[in-house]
Amino acid sequence: MRIIIVVNVNTSESMTGVIGEAARRHALAGTEIIALRPYFGAEAVDCNFESYLSAVAVMDRVIGYGEPYDAVVLAGFGEHGRDGLQELIEAPVVEICEASAHVAMMIGRAYSVVTTLQRSVPAIEDRLRLAGLSDRCASVRASGMSTREVDEDPGRAVLAVVGLGLRTSKVSTYAPPDAKKITAWPLSTALGLRPAAAGDGPAGGVAR
């Protein structure tokens, strides 16, 4: 069994619960998720002071955890402390801002980040630049809601993101091809190298 520690960067019990539930929902079978929160610090991290304080608190919490584990996930977007924790422990340390950017770049040519307050934008830009992930970041935008407001009213947070009017790459760069006739496609079928299969269409089953 793999054991992954997921650390909330703030002291909110409710946010830690939500983070733990989400991690367990998406974890592979046979993976145990341990959700932790710092013993001290801010109940919501929305500025540099709170982020630096959180970095110390998170390192303290992980170092003080006495049970075995295989990896640590820092559930704070663009927060400080990942590099310091990585120096202190042998297990891999994953920060969700960096992880999200890596996944996004496998889906689209570029990506954008939606965060809470405008004051959080520079910290996220710095984290992406430090990780070498900023070249394909199209923008970092703020919803205008604080971390605590998001926790207290998730429905309003969704509306705030929708209100930004963003679109994903699936309706632009990597959208399916427009419906049109494509001669001799699939090529292997046209050349007689394989029999026609169900789903073979003018664009290999993706045109419509």
Side-chain angles (χ1 to χ4, degrees), residues 60-87:
D60 173 82
R61 187 67 175 93
V62 174
I63 290 299
Y65 184 76
E67 302 298 323
Y69 57 88
D70 297 290
V72 176
V73 175
L74 300 185
F77 213 85
E79 305 299 333
H80 301 95
R82 196 271 286 172
D83 307 289
L85 184 59
Q86 198 159 23
E87 292 176 345

PDB file of all heavy atoms in Angstrom, residues 60-87:
ATOM      1  N   ASP A  60       7.071  22.062   9.590  1.00  0.00           N
ATOM      2  CA  ASP A  60       6.974  21.589  10.971  1.00  0.00           C
ATOM      3  C   ASP A  60       6.001  20.415  11.090  1.00  0.00           C
ATOM      4  O   ASP A  60       6.271  19.425  11.766  1.00  0.00           O
ATOM      5  CB  ASP A  60       6.524  22.745  11.869  1.00  0.00           C
ATOM      6  CG  ASP A  60       6.224  22.305  13.286  1.00  0.00           C
ATOM      7  OD1 ASP A  60       7.169  22.177  14.087  1.00  0.00           O
ATOM      8  OD2 ASP A  60       5.021  22.087  13.597  1.00  0.00           O
ATOM      9  N   ARG A  61       4.873  20.516  10.399  1.00  0.00           N
ATOM     10  CA  ARG A  61       3.838  19.465  10.478  1.00  0.00           C
ATOM     11  C   ARG A  61       4.315  18.162   9.864  1.00  0.00           C
ATOM     12  O   ARG A  61       4.097  17.078  10.424  1.00  0.00           O
ATOM     13  CB  ARG A  61       2.555  19.937   9.777  1.00  0.00           C
ATOM     14  CG  ARG A  61       1.375  18.997   9.949  1.00  0.00           C
ATOM     15  CD  ARG A  61       0.937  18.980  11.397  1.00  0.00           C
ATOM     16  NE  ARG A  61      -0.258  18.183  11.607  1.00  0.00           N
ATOM     17  CZ  ARG A  61      -0.250  16.885  11.958  1.00  0.00           C
ATOM     18  NH1 ARG A  61       0.909  16.262  12.104  1.00  0.00           N
ATOM     19  NH2 ARG A  61      -1.389  16.248  12.158  1.00  0.00           N
ATOM     20  N   VAL A  62       4.966  18.252   8.704  1.00  0.00           N
ATOM     21  CA  VAL A  62       5.418  17.035   8.028  1.00  0.00           C
ATOM     22  C   VAL A  62       6.564  16.384   8.791  1.00  0.00           C
ATOM     23  O   VAL A  62       6.585  15.154   8.975  1.00  0.00           O
ATOM     24  CB  VAL A  62       5.833  17.343   6.574  1.00  0.00           C
ATOM     25  CG1 VAL A  62       6.454  16.107   5.919  1.00  0.00           C
ATOM     26  CG2 VAL A  62       4.628  17.821   5.768  1.00  0.00           C
ATOM     27  N   ILE A  63       7.523  17.196   9.244  1.00  0.00           N
ATOM     28  CA  ILE A  63       8.653  16.649   9.983  1.00  0.00           C
ATOM     29  C   ILE A  63       8.183  15.986  11.281  1.00  0.00           C
ATOM     30  O   ILE A  63       8.735  14.980  11.727  1.00  0.00           O
ATOM     31  CB  ILE A  63       9.678  17.763  10.289  1.00  0.00           C
ATOM     32  CG1 ILE A  63      10.379  18.199   9.004  1.00  0.00           C
ATOM     33  CG2 ILE A  63      10.710  17.299  11.307  1.00  0.00           C
ATOM     34  CD1 ILE A  63      11.147  17.099   8.317  1.00  0.00           C
ATOM     35  N   GLY A  64       7.127  16.530  11.879  1.00  0.00           N
ATOM     36  CA  GLY A  64       6.614  15.982  13.127  1.00  0.00           C
ATOM     37  C   GLY A  64       5.727  14.761  12.959  1.00  0.00           C
ATOM     38  O   GLY A  64       5.327  14.141  13.954  1.00  0.00           O
ATOM     39  N   TYR A  65       5.398  14.396  11.716  1.00  0.00           N
ATOM     40  CA  TYR A  65       4.550  13.233  11.479  1.00  0.00           C
ATOM     41  C   TYR A  65       5.417  11.983  11.588  1.00  0.00           C
ATOM     42  O   TYR A  65       6.349  11.788  10.808  1.00  0.00           O
ATOM     43  CB  TYR A  65       3.895  13.327  10.099  1.00  0.00           C
ATOM     44  CG  TYR A  65       2.925  12.203   9.808  1.00  0.00           C
ATOM     45  CD1 TYR A  65       1.660  12.200  10.392  1.00  0.00           C
ATOM     46  CD2 TYR A  65       3.278  11.151   8.969  1.00  0.00           C
ATOM     47  CE1 TYR A  65       0.769  11.162  10.138  1.00  0.00           C
ATOM     48  CE2 TYR A  65       2.389  10.121   8.707  1.00  0.00           C
ATOM     49  CZ  TYR A  65       1.136  10.135   9.297  1.00  0.00           C
ATOM     50  OH  TYR A  65       0.257   9.104   9.063  1.00  0.00           O
ATOM     51  N   GLY A  66       5.117  11.141  12.534  1.00  0.00           N
ATOM     52  CA  GLY A  66       6.010  10.039  12.864  1.00  0.00           C
ATOM     53  C   GLY A  66       5.780   8.732  12.132  1.00  0.00           C
ATOM     54  O   GLY A  66       6.552   7.787  12.306  1.00  0.00           O
ATOM     55  N   GLU A  67       4.729   8.640  11.324  1.00  0.00           N
ATOM     56  CA  GLU A  67       4.409   7.394  10.627  1.00  0.00           C
ATOM     57  C   GLU A  67       5.057   7.368   9.239  1.00  0.00           C
ATOM     58  O   GLU A  67       5.379   8.414   8.671  1.00  0.00           O
ATOM     59  CB  GLU A  67       2.898   7.236  10.500  1.00  0.00           C
ATOM     60  CG  GLU A  67       2.158   7.236  11.835  1.00  0.00           C
ATOM     61  CD  GLU A  67       2.576   6.091  12.726  1.00  0.00           C
ATOM     62  OE1 GLU A  67       2.824   4.988  12.199  1.00  0.00           O
ATOM     63  OE2 GLU A  67       2.681   6.284  13.949  1.00  0.00           O
ATOM     64  N   PRO A  68       5.243   6.189   8.662  1.00  0.00           N
ATOM     65  CA  PRO A  68       5.844   6.108   7.324  1.00  0.00           C
ATOM     66  C   PRO A  68       4.922   6.652   6.231  1.00  0.00           C
ATOM     67  O   PRO A  68       3.688   6.589   6.372  1.00  0.00           O
ATOM     68  CB  PRO A  68       6.101   4.606   7.141  1.00  0.00           C
ATOM     69  CG  PRO A  68       5.125   3.941   8.047  1.00  0.00           C
ATOM     70  CD  PRO A  68       4.972   4.852   9.236  1.00  0.00           C
ATOM     71  N   TYR A  69       5.499   7.163   5.161  1.00  0.00           N
ATOM     72  CA  TYR A  69       4.737   7.650   4.012  1.00  0.00           C
ATOM     73  C   TYR A  69       5.634   7.610   2.796  1.00  0.00           C
ATOM     74  O   TYR A  69       6.859   7.499   2.900  1.00  0.00           O
ATOM     75  CB  TYR A  69       4.208   9.065   4.268  1.00  0.00           C
ATOM     76  CG  TYR A  69       5.277  10.075   4.596  1.00  0.00           C
ATOM     77  CD1 TYR A  69       5.934  10.789   3.593  1.00  0.00           C
ATOM     78  CD2 TYR A  69       5.639  10.330   5.924  1.00  0.00           C
ATOM     79  CE1 TYR A  69       6.916  11.714   3.892  1.00  0.00           C
ATOM     80  CE2 TYR A  69       6.625  11.248   6.235  1.00  0.00           C
ATOM     81  CZ  TYR A  69       7.259  11.934   5.218  1.00  0.00           C
ATOM     82  OH  TYR A  69       8.236  12.847   5.517  1.00  0.00           O
ATOM     83  N   ASP A  70       5.011   7.694   1.614  1.00  0.00           N
ATOM     84  CA  ASP A  70       5.753   7.554   0.359  1.00  0.00           C
ATOM     85  C   ASP A  70       5.914   8.860  -0.408  1.00  0.00           C
ATOM     86  O   ASP A  70       6.801   8.977  -1.257  1.00  0.00           O
ATOM     87  CB  ASP A  70       5.051   6.528  -0.541  1.00  0.00           C
ATOM     88  CG  ASP A  70       5.027   5.146   0.094  1.00  0.00           C
ATOM     89  OD1 ASP A  70       6.099   4.525   0.189  1.00  0.00           O
ATOM     90  OD2 ASP A  70       3.937   4.700   0.516  1.00  0.00           O
ATOM     91  N   ALA A  71       5.045   9.830  -0.173  1.00  0.00           N
ATOM     92  CA  ALA A  71       5.123  11.105  -0.894  1.00  0.00           C
ATOM     93  C   ALA A  71       4.308  12.145  -0.141  1.00  0.00           C
ATOM     94  O   ALA A  71       3.443  11.811   0.675  1.00  0.00           O
ATOM     95  CB  ALA A  71       4.606  10.962  -2.331  1.00  0.00           C
ATOM     96  N   VAL A  72       4.602  13.406  -0.434  1.00  0.00           N
ATOM     97  CA  VAL A  72       3.876  14.524   0.177  1.00  0.00           C
ATOM     98  C   VAL A  72       3.333  15.424  -0.924  1.00  0.00           C
ATOM     99  O   VAL A  72       4.063  15.790  -1.859  1.00  0.00           O
ATOM    100  CB  VAL A  72       4.785  15.351   1.110  1.00  0.00           C
ATOM    101  CG1 VAL A  72       4.027  16.565   1.659  1.00  0.00           C
ATOM    102  CG2 VAL A  72       5.298  14.493   2.258  1.00  0.00           C
ATOM    103  N   VAL A  73       2.065  15.763  -0.829  1.00  0.00           N
ATOM    104  CA  VAL A  73       1.443  16.709  -1.748  1.00  0.00           C
ATOM    105  C   VAL A  73       1.088  17.965  -0.965  1.00  0.00           C
ATOM    106  O   VAL A  73       0.382  17.888   0.051  1.00  0.00           O
ATOM    107  CB  VAL A  73       0.171  16.121  -2.394  1.00  0.00           C
ATOM    108  CG1 VAL A  73      -0.520  17.174  -3.259  1.00  0.00           C
ATOM    109  CG2 VAL A  73       0.508  14.892  -3.223  1.00  0.00           C
ATOM    110  N   LEU A  74       1.577  19.109  -1.413  1.00  0.00           N
ATOM    111  CA  LEU A  74       1.260  20.380  -0.768  1.00  0.00           C
ATOM    112  C   LEU A  74       0.046  20.989  -1.457  1.00  0.00           C
ATOM    113  O   LEU A  74       0.117  21.388  -2.616  1.00  0.00           O
ATOM    114  CB  LEU A  74       2.453  21.339  -0.844  1.00  0.00           C
ATOM    115  CG  LEU A  74       3.752  20.869  -0.189  1.00  0.00           C
ATOM    116  CD1 LEU A  74       4.796  21.970  -0.242  1.00  0.00           C
ATOM    117  CD2 LEU A  74       3.503  20.434   1.249  1.00  0.00           C
ATOM    118  N   ALA A  75      -1.064  21.041  -0.740  1.00  0.00           N
ATOM    119  CA  ALA A  75      -2.322  21.521  -1.315  1.00  0.00           C
ATOM    120  C   ALA A  75      -2.470  23.020  -1.128  1.00  0.00           C
ATOM    121  O   ALA A  75      -3.453  23.507  -0.577  1.00  0.00           O
ATOM    122  CB  ALA A  75      -3.493  20.766  -0.686  1.00  0.00           C
ATOM    123  N   GLY A  76      -1.482  23.754  -1.620  1.00  0.00           N
ATOM    124  CA  GLY A  76      -1.533  25.208  -1.632  1.00  0.00           C
ATOM    125  C   GLY A  76      -1.037  25.670  -2.986  1.00  0.00           C
ATOM    126  O   GLY A  76       0.019  25.227  -3.446  1.00  0.00           O
ATOM    127  N   PHE A  77      -1.760  26.532  -3.645  1.00  0.00           N
ATOM    128  CA  PHE A  77      -1.451  26.865  -5.035  1.00  0.00           C
ATOM    129  C   PHE A  77      -0.436  27.994  -5.094  1.00  0.00           C
ATOM    130  O   PHE A  77      -0.750  29.159  -4.878  1.00  0.00           O
ATOM    131  CB  PHE A  77      -2.734  27.251  -5.767  1.00  0.00           C
ATOM    132  CG  PHE A  77      -2.728  26.853  -7.213  1.00  0.00           C
ATOM    133  CD1 PHE A  77      -3.104  25.572  -7.592  1.00  0.00           C
ATOM    134  CD2 PHE A  77      -2.331  27.734  -8.191  1.00  0.00           C
ATOM    135  CE1 PHE A  77      -3.089  25.178  -8.919  1.00  0.00           C
ATOM    136  CE2 PHE A  77      -2.311  27.371  -9.527  1.00  0.00           C
ATOM    137  CZ  PHE A  77      -2.690  26.092  -9.891  1.00  0.00           C
ATOM    138  N   GLY A  78       0.816  27.630  -5.406  1.00  0.00           N
ATOM    139  CA  GLY A  78       1.860  28.637  -5.530  1.00  0.00           C
ATOM    140  C   GLY A  78       2.426  29.112  -4.214  1.00  0.00           C
ATOM    141  O   GLY A  78       3.068  30.159  -4.157  1.00  0.00           O
ATOM    142  N   GLU A  79       2.232  28.337  -3.150  1.00  0.00           N
ATOM    143  CA  GLU A  79       2.720  28.749  -1.834  1.00  0.00           C
ATOM    144  C   GLU A  79       4.215  28.480  -1.697  1.00  0.00           C
ATOM    145  O   GLU A  79       4.795  27.682  -2.423  1.00  0.00           O
ATOM    146  CB  GLU A  79       1.960  28.004  -0.729  1.00  0.00           C
ATOM    147  CG  GLU A  79       0.459  28.144  -0.801  1.00  0.00           C
ATOM    148  CD  GLU A  79      -0.013  29.578  -0.676  1.00  0.00           C
ATOM    149  OE1 GLU A  79       0.694  30.396  -0.050  1.00  0.00           O
ATOM    150  OE2 GLU A  79      -1.089  29.898  -1.203  1.00  0.00           O
ATOM    151  N   HIS A  80       4.826  29.144  -0.733  1.00  0.00           N
ATOM    152  CA  HIS A  80       6.237  28.923  -0.449  1.00  0.00           C
ATOM    153  C   HIS A  80       6.412  27.651   0.381  1.00  0.00           C
ATOM    154  O   HIS A  80       5.465  27.148   0.969  1.00  0.00           O
ATOM    155  CB  HIS A  80       6.795  30.120   0.322  1.00  0.00           C
ATOM    156  CG  HIS A  80       6.673  31.419  -0.397  1.00  0.00           C
ATOM    157  ND1 HIS A  80       5.612  32.286  -0.200  1.00  0.00           N
ATOM    158  CD2 HIS A  80       7.448  31.997  -1.346  1.00  0.00           C
ATOM    159  CE1 HIS A  80       5.751  33.348  -0.974  1.00  0.00           C
ATOM    160  NE2 HIS A  80       6.850  33.202  -1.678  1.00  0.00           N
ATOM    161  N   GLY A  81       7.613  27.136   0.409  1.00  0.00           N
ATOM    162  CA  GLY A  81       7.914  26.026   1.298  1.00  0.00           C
ATOM    163  C   GLY A  81       8.220  24.708   0.631  1.00  0.00           C
ATOM    164  O   GLY A  81       8.830  23.834   1.246  1.00  0.00           O
ATOM    165  N   ARG A  82       7.828  24.534  -0.619  1.00  0.00           N
ATOM    166  CA  ARG A  82       8.049  23.250  -1.275  1.00  0.00           C
ATOM    167  C   ARG A  82       9.535  22.921  -1.352  1.00  0.00           C
ATOM    168  O   ARG A  82       9.964  21.796  -1.055  1.00  0.00           O
ATOM    169  CB  ARG A  82       7.436  23.259  -2.677  1.00  0.00           C
ATOM    170  CG  ARG A  82       7.273  21.842  -3.265  1.00  0.00           C
ATOM    171  CD  ARG A  82       8.476  21.371  -4.030  1.00  0.00           C
ATOM    172  NE  ARG A  82       8.598  22.028  -5.317  1.00  0.00           N
ATOM    173  CZ  ARG A  82       9.643  21.901  -6.116  1.00  0.00           C
ATOM    174  NH1 ARG A  82      10.664  21.140  -5.747  1.00  0.00           N
ATOM    175  NH2 ARG A  82       9.701  22.533  -7.254  1.00  0.00           N
ATOM    176  N   ASP A  83      10.368  23.881  -1.734  1.00  0.00           N
ATOM    177  CA  ASP A  83      11.793  23.636  -1.894  1.00  0.00           C
ATOM    178  C   ASP A  83      12.447  23.301  -0.555  1.00  0.00           C
ATOM    179  O   ASP A  83      13.305  22.429  -0.473  1.00  0.00           O
ATOM    180  CB  ASP A  83      12.467  24.858  -2.520  1.00  0.00           C
ATOM    181  CG  ASP A  83      11.774  25.282  -3.807  1.00  0.00           C
ATOM    182  OD1 ASP A  83      11.900  24.551  -4.795  1.00  0.00           O
ATOM    183  OD2 ASP A  83      11.088  26.306  -3.811  1.00  0.00           O
ATOM    184  N   GLY A  84      12.024  23.999   0.497  1.00  0.00           N
ATOM    185  CA  GLY A  84      12.571  23.728   1.818  1.00  0.00           C
ATOM    186  C   GLY A  84      12.215  22.342   2.303  1.00  0.00           C
ATOM    187  O   GLY A  84      13.059  21.622   2.845  1.00  0.00           O
ATOM    188  N   LEU A  85      10.967  21.949   2.124  1.00  0.00           N
ATOM    189  CA  LEU A  85      10.532  20.621   2.559  1.00  0.00           C
ATOM    190  C   LEU A  85      11.251  19.536   1.769  1.00  0.00           C
ATOM    191  O   LEU A  85      11.611  18.491   2.313  1.00  0.00           O
ATOM    192  CB  LEU A  85       9.016  20.488   2.409  1.00  0.00           C
ATOM    193  CG  LEU A  85       8.410  19.175   2.908  1.00  0.00           C
ATOM    194  CD1 LEU A  85       8.705  18.966   4.385  1.00  0.00           C
ATOM    195  CD2 LEU A  85       6.905  19.157   2.659  1.00  0.00           C
ATOM    196  N   GLN A  86      11.494  19.801   0.499  1.00  0.00           N
ATOM    197  CA  GLN A  86      12.177  18.825  -0.333  1.00  0.00           C
ATOM    198  C   GLN A  86      13.606  18.593   0.157  1.00  0.00           C
ATOM    199  O   GLN A  86      14.171  17.515  -0.022  1.00  0.00           O
ATOM    200  CB  GLN A  86      12.186  19.284  -1.795  1.00  0.00           C
ATOM    201  CG  GLN A  86      12.481  18.188  -2.792  1.00  0.00           C
ATOM    202  CD  GLN A  86      11.991  18.543  -4.180  1.00  0.00           C
ATOM    203  OE1 GLN A  86      11.819  19.712  -4.506  1.00  0.00           O
ATOM    204  NE2 GLN A  86      11.756  17.547  -5.003  1.00  0.00           N
ATOM    205  N   GLU A  87      14.200  19.598   0.783  1.00  0.00           N
ATOM    206  CA  GLU A  87      15.534  19.436   1.354  1.00  0.00           C
ATOM    207  C   GLU A  87      15.514  18.613   2.643  1.00  0.00           C
ATOM    208  O   GLU A  87      16.504  17.968   2.995  1.00  0.00           O
ATOM    209  CB  GLU A  87      16.148  20.805   1.657  1.00  0.00           C
ATOM    210  CG  GLU A  87      16.468  21.629   0.421  1.00  0.00           C
ATOM    211  CD  GLU A  87      16.987  23.012   0.759  1.00  0.00           C
ATOM    212  OE1 GLU A  87      16.837  23.446   1.920  1.00  0.00           O
ATOM    213  OE2 GLU A  87      17.540  23.659  -0.136  1.00  0.00           O
TER     214      GLU A  87
END
